[in-house]
Amino acid sequence: MRQAGICVWQAHQLVRQMIAPGVTTADIDDVIAEHFRFCGAEPLFKDYPHQNTGRPAFPAATCTSINEEVVHGIPTHRPLREGDIVSVDTGCRLNGWCGDSAYTYPAGRIAPSVQRLLDVTIATLDLAFELMHTKTRWGQVAREMAQLVRDNGFSTVECFVGHGIGRQMHEEPQVPNFLSRSLRGSGDFRIEPGLVIAVEPMVNMGTKRVKMHHDHWTQSTLDRKPSAHFEHTIAVTNNGPVLLTAAPTPEEIAGLPWDFASAGAAIKPVASGH
């Protein structure tokens, strides 16, 4: 799973290199899809079936959600504008194991209030990782995550949560970012060696309520205020929690089945406004 996580981490580094006004989310999706092919990995999101029978499968390798879009945004050819934010969520399966991670990126300069939203959201993910070193149950972590968001005047999205991950992208348990009804009861779980989860706080500037677009996938805030999303795949080992989707060590790079240094070498810069 660590190699799948490194592949996903490197995909995000490629996004970080190219994100700018004028770039489209379709450009981003093309680069990540090509990166996964280069690594010999399978994109997890492409053709992922809709939960409702008869609805279209997800059509891309990435979920790209702009500004008030919370999750599951479909890549388009609409150029990013100065001041936009875009949440890029992606994952792959490599040698039978999955990795999944999300970051919210600014396109150029963004408003201070929006930067604060991004800062609080990533701080919430960082807090979860730190608490996993000392807490024994997920409900204890989720309570403090939600409290941090509330203390900063924002809201936690409650209709989408993190998840277990392994051979499949979505496995048990469900991993809420707040103290849900299930965590107050039988849905809580122990933080112990062998657990691997995707932790992904989604934080809104305004209301926690969301609505689905006519494409049957994209979810936006009901009040159209911005939303941010950060995610890591985290494994609990005998030596404590480990970020599987974090930067690799030189020793890990040496053992990868793809040429780490060559990945993304063919990326061409996209001129602003084109």
Side-chain angles (χ1 to χ4, degrees), residues 80-157:
L80 295 175
R81 305 183 183 98
E82 186 84 20
D84 283 344
I85 57 173
V86 55
S87 299
V88 179
D89 186 3
T90 195
C92 73
R93 181 181 290 107
L94 184 66
N95 296 324
W97 296 96
C98 299
D100 185 8
S101 181
Y103 289 79
T104 301
Y105 299 92
R109 297 177 61 183
I110 60 176
S113 59
V114 179
Q115 183 62 59
R116 183 167 166 269
L117 174 68
L118 269 59
D119 293 343
V120 169
T121 308
I122 196 167
T124 304
L125 178 56
D126 291 343
L127 174 66
F129 179 66
E130 291 305 317
L131 290 174
M132 288 177 69
H133 289 76
T134 56
K135 302 298 184 182
T136 58
R137 304 195 71 85
W138 182 254
Q140 299 168 318
V141 176
R143 179 190 292 111
E144 295 202 29
M145 292 173 70
Q147 187 63 54
L148 176 61
V149 172
R150 284 194 300 271
D151 288 348
N152 282 277
F154 299 135
S155 62
T156 298
V157 174

Side-chain angles (χ1 to χ4, degrees), residues 241-272:
V242 174
L243 295 173
L244 296 183
T245 43
T249 66
E251 292 77 16
E252 288 174 326
I253 291 173
L256 293 175
W258 71 92
D259 184 347
F260 184 85
S262 297
I267 292 178
K268 294 179 175 61
V270 179
S272 179

Side-chain angles (χ1 to χ4, degrees), residues 113-261:
S113 59
V114 179
Q115 183 62 59
R116 183 167 166 269
L117 174 68
L118 269 59
D119 293 343
V120 169
T121 308
I122 196 167
T124 304
L125 178 56
D126 291 343
L127 174 66
F129 179 66
E130 291 305 317
L131 290 174
M132 288 177 69
H133 289 76
T134 56
K135 302 298 184 182
T136 58
R137 304 195 71 85
W138 182 254
Q140 299 168 318
V141 176
R143 179 190 292 111
E144 295 202 29
M145 292 173 70
Q147 187 63 54
L148 176 61
V149 172
R150 284 194 300 271
D151 288 348
N152 282 277
F154 299 135
S155 62
T156 298
V157 174
E158 296 184 357
C159 54
F160 298 102
V161 299
H163 50 91
I165 182 170
R167 293 280 187 182
Q168 303 298 321
M169 175 167 61
H170 292 134
E171 299 183 355
E172 292 298 326
Q174 288 199 345
V175 186
N177 307 299
F178 60 100
L179 194 58
S180 65
R181 180 177 299 178
S182 68
L183 289 182
R184 298 176 191 272
S186 60
D188 202 358
F189 56 90
R190 293 189 61 81
I191 300 169
E192 57 189 0
L195 177 72
V196 187
I197 54 177
V199 180
E200 49 180 324
M202 289 156 267
V203 177
N204 294 348
M205 186 174 286
T207 180
K208 67 183 179 182
R209 297 178 64 193
V210 305
K211 61 180 180 180
M212 185 169 66
H213 291 210
H214 293 303
D215 63 17
H216 305 295
W217 281 102
T218 309
Q219 304 281 340
S220 288
T221 58
L222 194 61
D223 58 10
R224 300 185 64 82
K225 292 183 179 180
S227 181
H229 178 200
F230 289 87
E231 174 186 20
H232 270 304
T233 300
I234 304 174
V236 182
T237 74
N238 289 328
N239 296 318
V242 174
L243 295 173
L244 296 183
T245 43
T249 66
E251 292 77 16
E252 288 174 326
I253 291 173
L256 293 175
W258 71 92
D259 184 347
F260 184 85

